[in-house]
Amino acid sequence: MVLYSLLLFLSAGMAGALLAFPAARDVLSQAARALGTRRHARRAALALAAFVLLGALPLAVLLGSGSNDPAPDAGRAPVRRPVNRQVAQLLEGEHLTPPLPLPPLAFTTADVTLVRPMLGGASRDWGQLDDTFSQRLLRVFQVMREQHGYDMALLEGYRSPQRQDQLAAAGPHVTSARAYQSQHQFGQAADCAFVRDGKLVISERDPWAMRGYRLYGETAEAMGLTWGGRWTMMDFGHVEMRSSGN
């Protein structure tokens, strides 16, 4: 900044002296006569003065553009964007472990079979799920427990092609997707429900459960998953992840 101001001052001073003071022009004219005739000397002096003045402008722009602006963070605090803590932990590589499984009889009670009559043969093996998907789902479980007070359980994860066709044959009220038309076959989908007092709560008629499903959907979407509660045929307990290969 100081160098820029000094050069600009000197350039403007030289140009002003040549244009305003005849003596200065005469000195320049004498020098110019050594190079040419007197008729061209004064014209050369004036041209040189104009050149110096005009040349100072781009010089000022060139020097000013590199030194006049303050550093991006000078004089103000850096902008810090909020980062979702759960997503940050995923990126940092923290590996979550599945919760302890419920006893098999918990999935075959009268209340459960009324809503999910074919749940007895479902796989709840977290090891058969895509690792990226399972980690996101486990993070959803963690947020639901720690921030909203809901414990959750996996109803069904990986689903074989044969079981998918079996469920589709039961009718569209169960599923309309056949083998390999569901993310369950790729280990990238799961059906989940809540646990209250040691029992599964699936019913959508339960206000407590419905509040939980909405929070569950919002949390899953924040983790980059797709929530079945937004589908035309709503499936509140379903979440899935779609990769480029399927």
Side-chain angles (χ1 to χ4, degrees):
M1 181 65 183
V2 175
L3 179 60
Y4 153 65
S5 300
L6 180 60
L7 290 175
L8 181 60
F9 174 77
L10 292 176
S11 299
M14 291 173 58
L18 290 172
L19 292 174
F21 299 102
R25 292 200 301 270
D26 289 340
V27 172
L28 189 61
S29 297
Q30 292 175 5
R33 276 198 296 272
L35 299 176
T37 64
R38 181 180 180 82
R39 185 180 64 178
H40 297 292
R42 188 173 300 274
R43 184 177 303 171
L46 292 173
L48 181 58
F51 172 78
V52 172
L53 182 60
L54 293 175
L57 295 177
L59 179 63
V61 173
L62 179 62
L63 293 175
S65 63
S67 60
N68 193 38
D69 292 336
D73 294 332
R76 65 174 184 267
V79 177
R80 298 186 183 277
R81 301 185 183 277
V83 178
N84 185 291
R85 182 173 63 89
Q86 288 75 32
V87 174
Q89 289 172 335
L90 280 173
L91 296 176
E92 290 170 2
E94 181 185 1
H95 195 83
L96 298 177
T97 57
L100 294 175
L102 294 175
L105 291 178
F107 299 90
T108 57
T109 65
D111 290 340
V112 172
T113 55
L114 182 65
V115 181
R116 297 289 296 268
M118 304 176 71
L119 196 57
S123 170
R124 288 176 281 276
D125 182 359
W126 287 85
Q128 290 186 295
L129 295 177
D130 176 270
D131 186 64
T132 299
F133 171 70
S134 68
Q135 285 300 300
R136 294 189 186 189
L137 183 58
L138 286 170
R139 189 68 65 190
V140 172
F141 277 27
Q142 182 184 55
V143 173
M144 290 296 295
R145 182 179 65 255
E146 294 180 356
Q147 297 186 18
H148 305 302
Y150 283 84
D151 286 320
M152 300 199 68
L154 178 65
L155 299 181
E156 183 168 13
Y158 170 77
R159 184 182 294 160
S160 69
Q162 294 77 15
R163 175 169 168 79
Q164 186 68 47
D165 281 338
Q166 181 185 9
L167 294 176
H173 66 284
V174 177
T175 181
S176 58
R178 294 198 170 273
Y180 298 109
Q181 294 178 339
S182 169
Q183 293 302 104
H184 282 284
Q185 276 80 77
F186 304 99
Q188 296 179 344
D191 298 324
C192 304
F194 308 107
V195 179
R196 183 174 58 191
D197 299 329
K199 298 180 180 180
L200 282 175
V201 180
I202 301 178
S203 176
E204 299 168 6
R205 298 180 179 181
D206 188 317
W208 177 84
M210 281 307 301
R211 176 181 178 272
Y213 280 129
R214 286 191 292 270
L215 293 170
Y216 167 68
E218 292 171 1
T219 305
E221 290 175 338
M223 297 296 170
L225 303 178
T226 298
W227 178 44
R230 298 196 186 278
W231 295 346
T232 301
M233 184 178 173
M234 293 180 288
D235 192 351
F236 291 105
H238 179 95
V239 291
E240 64 181 45
M241 180 182 73
R242 290 190 171 273
S243 61
S244 59
N246 48 56

